[in-house]
Amino acid sequence: MNAKVFITILTVILTVGIGQAQNQETTDSLTRELQEVVVTANQSVTKLVGSTLVSTIPGTDLADLGSALDVLSQLPMIKVQDNSVSVIGKSNLEIYIDGRPMRDDQELSQILSSNLKKVELLMAPGAAYASATGAVLKITTRRNFLQGLSFTDRFQLQRRRKWSVMDYLGLGYRTGNYEFFVNGTVNRNNFFVKGTTVNTLMYDGKDAVVGSSQNNSYPTVTGVVKAGLNYAKGLQSLGAYYRYNPEHGNFNNYGTEWLDNNSALIREIDKRIRSHSHLASLYYENTFAEKYLLHFDGGFLQSGSHNRVATTYPESTISEVHSADERNSTLWAGKLYMNFPLWNGDFSIGTQGSYTHTSLDYRMLNAQISEYIPSSLTDARQTSAALFASWSRMLGKISLSAGLRYEYVDYDFKVDGKRDAEVSRRDHLLTPDVSLSYSFNDESQISLSYKMATVKPPYAQLTGSLSYVGLHEIEGGNPGLRDERMHDLQLFGMWKGFMLQADFTRALDTYAFVKQLYPAGNLQLIMHPLNIDVSSLSLYLVWSRPVCRWTPNVTVGMYRQWFKLDNNRYDNPIFSYYFDNTFSLPCDWMITANISGRTKGDMHTNRFAHSWFTMDVSVGRTFLNKSLTVKLSATDIFNTANNDWTMNTCGIFVDKRQSYDQRGISLNVIYNFQPRKSQSRGSSAAESEMKRL
């Protein structure tokens, strides 16, 4: 479709929608079902409760958007891009669905928006969560007691630079107190990214330039098969499921390399990826004496991947470079906790433990390259155990909560079968948190919280192996990375439809990427992480309040850091805005229009380029008494999104220009027969370990 024609049609639709909205009575409401009684009242979709943003979905325009991902994309402080959910200004997000951990992004696309009951965004997670957790998203669905068979099918067809297609089918059967479920997903994606990288430095007393161009195509086929059961009777429930997830991918990069003013060499990189994972999970929950809640969940994860890479220079005499790597990981995890009233408040105490084993066998098959990028076998084993306790109490208009978490970690790291004593270590970690809130009335409150955390780097960054990128470039990890120690102070406030978040963080030994010279016989640059100390301040002001059939959500903010490396300061602030809009029109039509932008600024060692204006739009409608949803979406309409950045570290200036294929259209068709609650209520046993794997 011609872009000008699409924009003209969109403008007409939005104008008509706003005009009709101004002449319609409000339908926004909060709906609570109490057996056969339905109580409705006009309220804002999202409210601040302490340091938690609570969004109630039933009775609002958001209930008819399609999937849970569609709803999340319209909520304050939450951003969704390509099925990936993030929180503005936060890292290490954990997502729970009905108390269980979300272990892949597809789960959110499988939940219908009409089945959502409540979305809670915890901006200051307590001791019950791993200390590295920056935010927690808790999604509660509406429970359905319908007996018999139910099924949901979701089909998505997407066109950007390449075609992608996905289909999900979920079947469920409820009989008595039991429910059985099985679902499967087939997803074929084909992404395309193009760009250039130019490195400028002094080498042997002369100016040198190392450059490359990239045209990356990444077609992948993934599948998910999941089956399990749940049992619930009275206050007791239990369940288990098994999931198998295979993936086949073939990465291709057609580009060039050049050094100084020499002619560019054509380069082709072909990477074959074969991976899979097995996951088994179970949970048990029961309430004793009507006040003691006992919860247990455990899980086992086994995953493996086999990759082969071939780099060729078809128009030169340079030898081909072949490498292969094999990664295998295993995780055992368990979590047990109990909640009960204590000292006129709520008390929670529990324990959590995990055992992780991951190995990476990297083989460089080119004899000449192996002189400076050798083959290696790294092996990492970690045993961790934690005890945590938290207590909260309401004292009139004052709310107080406090928690304490103790963690013991035994980390053992080997390279080629030899234990690295400098990297292996045993840690005893104690991380407290405290929060104090005051409520003036239902629409005005203020909250102050503090948390100390220990953040462990991902296993992918702890590897000691190096990877060949080009004739003059290498990428690698850093097994010597230390754990980050973080102090976080947050202030939250709400006044009517306005919300304020101020967050000051002091991070010691967090990690950032640098590029520097690598000791070799010729010019070689290496990109790898190292530990840094950085302080940062983020401020975000949110306004969200339904206006007739229009639900706007406006966020403006600023991120500023204080960080210095090699006499270079990285302290340029980043200003950003997000303007999300939902329009509910007659005849079950729904329109969303989301606009965002940011200025140029620094984040760790990267200086990101500005992106003043990007826009995503969707138009959808429900049919067959809302059992069928059809939605047409357009992303990055004006093709203005970018991920350009520069880096100036260790005497090397890097200018990275890259264009993702975010501009495109997609068609979503969802059919649901007998809506039902999403499966399994187990909570996370070791989400942070799974993310590190």
Side-chain angles (χ1 to χ4, degrees):
M1 181 183 294
N2 185 279
K4 293 183 178 179
V5 175
F6 183 86
I7 294 170
T8 302
I9 296 174
L10 173 65
T11 303
V12 173
I13 292 174
L14 291 177
T15 304
V16 173
I18 295 173
Q20 290 181 346
Q22 291 174 342
N23 292 286
Q24 294 286 339
E25 293 183 0
T26 180
T27 59
D28 303 313
S29 63
L30 172 66
T31 304
R32 294 188 177 92
E33 294 183 9
L34 304 175
Q35 295 179 354
E36 300 300 326
V37 180
V38 177
V39 181
T40 61
N42 295 330
Q43 289 198 17
S44 175
V45 174
T46 303
K47 298 185 67 175
L48 181 66
V49 180
S51 58
T52 301
L53 295 174
V54 181
S55 303
T56 307
I57 308 305
T60 70
D61 295 340
L62 303 180
D64 298 324
L65 282 181
S67 71
L69 280 175
D70 299 320
V71 173
L72 294 177
S73 67
Q74 303 305 118
L75 295 180
M77 300 300 293
I78 301 175
K79 304 313 297 177
V80 177
Q81 182 176 336
D82 294 331
N83 294 341
S84 178
V85 181
S86 61
V87 175
I88 300 173
K90 295 289 185 179
S91 58
N92 297 320
L93 172 66
E94 289 190 14
I95 302 177
Y96 293 80
I97 302 173
D98 291 331
R100 64 176 175 83
M102 189 199 76
R103 293 187 170 94
D104 66 75
D105 293 340
Q106 293 183 357
E107 289 191 57
L108 292 175
S109 65
Q110 298 162 5
I111 300 176
L112 300 182
S113 58
S114 57
N115 283 348
L116 290 179
K117 182 178 180 182
K118 184 170 60 175
V119 177
E120 299 171 271
L121 178 59
L122 284 67
M123 301 294 283
Y129 304 96
S131 61
T133 304
V136 174
L137 188 62
K138 298 172 66 176
I139 298 171
T140 305
T141 63
R142 302 172 69 179
R143 192 168 185 180
N144 197 312
F145 296 95
L146 294 177
Q147 299 289 309
L149 179 68
S150 64
F151 71 88
T152 300
D153 186 82
R154 180 178 184 234
F155 173 79
Q156 182 185 66
L157 181 65
Q158 178 177 276
R159 170 66 180 180
R160 293 185 177 177
R161 290 190 177 112
K162 305 285 186 178
W163 286 100
S164 297
V165 63
M166 184 276 295
D167 190 73
Y168 160 82
L169 177 63
L171 301 174
Y173 182 77
R174 175 182 286 275
T175 175
N177 298 318
Y178 290 90
E179 64 171 345
F180 303 89
F181 59 88
V182 59
N183 56 58
T185 303
V186 177
N187 193 352
R188 188 188 187 281
N189 286 321
N190 197 350
F191 297 108
F192 185 84
V193 180
K194 61 181 181 179
T196 60
T197 305
V198 178
N199 307 276
T200 307
L201 69 152
M202 290 289 295
Y203 182 70
D204 283 345
K206 301 178 181 179
D207 292 334
V209 176
V210 176
S212 63
S213 64
Q214 306 90 32
N215 293 276
N216 300 326
S217 178
Y218 191 9
T220 60
V221 178
T222 59
V224 177
V225 178
K226 180 178 176 181
L229 62 88
N230 288 309
Y231 171 83
K233 184 177 182 180
L235 300 176
Q236 179 179 241
S237 62
L238 58 90
Y241 71 83
Y242 165 78
R243 189 199 71 189
Y244 175 63
N245 182 195
E247 176 180 349
H248 287 183
N250 293 283
F251 171 85
N252 177 264
N253 178 5
Y254 179 84
T256 59
E257 290 185 45
W258 65 88
L259 176 63
D260 297 332
N261 295 321
N262 299 325
S263 299
L265 297 172
I266 294 177
R267 178 193 64 191
E268 292 186 15
I269 302 175
D270 292 292
K271 183 176 182 179
R272 196 186 83 165
I273 302 170
R274 300 293 183 266
S275 64
H276 69 276
S277 67
H278 301 270
L279 172 66
S281 178
L282 60 89
Y283 76 92
Y284 173 78
E285 185 173 287
N286 200 357
T287 300
F288 303 93
E290 298 184 352
K291 63 178 180 179
Y292 296 98
L293 173 66
L294 178 68
H295 183 100
F296 168 80
D297 67 81
F300 168 77
L301 173 67
Q302 188 275 327
S303 63
S305 64
H306 308 268
N307 305 318
R308 292 185 176 273
V309 184
T311 304
T312 59
Y313 300 86
E315 298 184 2
S316 73
T317 59
I318 299 175
S319 301
E320 298 181 355
V321 180
H322 292 266
S323 64
D325 64 82
E326 180 176 345
R327 182 188 298 271
N328 291 289
S329 301
T330 303
L331 168 67
W332 293 89
K335 185 176 183 179
L336 175 69
Y337 65 85
M338 176 175 285
N339 298 335
F340 53 90
L342 180 67
W343 299 328
N344 297 320
D346 296 321
F347 184 73
S348 178
I349 187 170
T351 181
Q352 185 174 358
S354 66
Y355 170 76
T356 308
H357 178 207
T358 181
S359 63
L360 174 62
D361 185 4
Y362 177 80
R363 297 183 297 278
M364 171 52 67
L365 305 179
N366 180 288
Q368 183 179 359
I369 304 299
S370 65
E371 293 179 0
Y372 63 92
I373 303 181
S375 301
S376 64
L377 174 62
T378 58
D379 185 279
R381 300 171 188 261
Q382 177 176 289
T383 302
S384 65
L387 295 172
F388 59 86
S390 61
W391 178 77
S392 62
R393 181 182 176 183
M394 291 289 297
L395 298 169
K397 294 185 176 183
I398 299 176
S399 176
L400 172 66
S401 65
L404 188 64
R405 184 181 181 93
Y406 165 77
E407 296 183 43
Y408 166 77
V409 179
D410 185 354
Y411 181 68
D412 188 78
F413 184 78
K414 295 180 180 179
V415 180
D416 296 328
K418 297 182 180 179
R419 185 175 185 270
D420 191 328
E422 294 184 1
V423 177
S424 302
R425 58 189 180 273
R426 292 181 180 179
D427 293 325
H428 300 268
L429 314 172
L430 195 63
T431 54
D433 65 88
V434 62
S435 178
L436 181 65
S437 303
Y438 182 82
S439 178
F440 299 94
N441 52 52
D442 289 341
E443 292 189 318
S444 302
Q445 63 174 275
I446 191 170
S447 175
L448 183 66
S449 64
Y450 165 79
K451 179 180 180 179
M452 187 174 74
T454 299
V455 184
K456 297 183 178 299
Y459 283 108
Q461 305 304 336
L462 289 172
T463 177
S465 65
L466 303 175
S467 298
Y468 179 86
V469 178
L471 291 173
H472 303 284
E473 293 197 67
I474 306 169
E475 290 183 358
N478 182 358
L481 282 179
R482 299 180 295 275
D483 295 342
E484 174 187 347
R485 301 293 194 270
M486 182 178 68
H487 300 269
D488 188 35
L489 183 65
Q490 297 188 71
L491 175 68
F492 301 89
M494 180 183 74
W495 180 70
K496 296 185 177 180
F498 294 91
M499 286 175 285
L500 172 69
Q501 182 210 5
D503 190 347
F504 178 79
T505 301
R506 175 60 177 167
L508 305 176
D509 283 337
T510 188
Y511 74 92
F513 286 92
V514 300
K515 183 168 281 192
Q516 59 187 144
L517 282 169
Y518 180 76
N522 60 352
L523 173 58
Q524 293 292 333
L525 308 179
I526 182 172
M527 174 88 84
H528 67 147
L530 52 73
N531 290 114
I532 63 170
D533 297 340
V534 60
S535 299
S536 62
L537 173 67
S538 61
L539 292 169
Y540 293 98
L541 180 64
V542 180
W543 179 77
S544 178
R545 182 174 290 274
V547 181
C548 296
R549 291 181 177 269
W550 173 39
T551 305
N553 175 10
V554 183
T555 302
V556 293
M558 181 272 294
Y559 171 85
R560 165 73 188 276
Q561 68 177 22
W562 290 266
F563 167 51
K564 186 176 180 180
L565 179 67
D566 296 335
N567 295 320
N568 293 320
R569 302 187 66 87
Y570 304 84
D571 53 9
N572 284 355
I574 300 176
F575 297 93
S576 58
Y577 73 91
Y578 306 88
F579 185 22
D580 301 334
N581 302 270
T582 304
F583 301 93
S584 175
L585 304 182
C587 301
D588 295 326
W589 284 93
M590 295 289 295
I591 296 177
T592 66
N594 297 344
I595 303 170
S596 63
R598 70 169 189 269
T599 65
K600 179 173 67 175
D602 296 327
M603 184 170 293
H604 283 191
T605 53
N606 295 105
R607 175 165 294 178
F608 290 96
H610 64 76
S611 179
W612 298 112
F613 183 89
T614 61
M615 186 175 185
D616 301 335
V617 173
S618 72
V619 179
R621 188 187 178 188
T622 60
F623 302 88
L624 304 178
N625 196 25
K626 300 186 178 181
S627 293
L628 176 66
T629 301
V630 180
K631 184 176 181 180
L632 181 66
S633 304
T635 56
D636 192 16
I637 294 176
F638 301 100
N639 199 27
T640 52
N642 70 73
N643 194 34
D644 300 343
W645 51 266
T646 61
M647 175 189 293
N648 189 6
T649 60
C650 306
I652 300 174
F653 181 79
V654 184
D655 188 354
K656 180 77 171 181
R657 308 291 177 91
Q658 50 190 349
S659 172
Y660 292 168
D661 58 348
Q662 293 181 211
R663 187 185 194 185
I665 60 173
S666 65
L667 173 67
N668 281 270
V669 180
I670 303 174
Y671 180 73
N672 182 62
F673 174 72
Q674 289 189 358
R676 60 198 302 275
K677 184 179 175 66
S678 67
Q679 296 85 17
S680 183
R681 296 172 54 199
S683 63
S684 172
E687 279 306 292
S688 60
E689 278 300 290
M690 292 186 181
K691 289 184 179 181
R692 294 180 71 206
L693 290 174

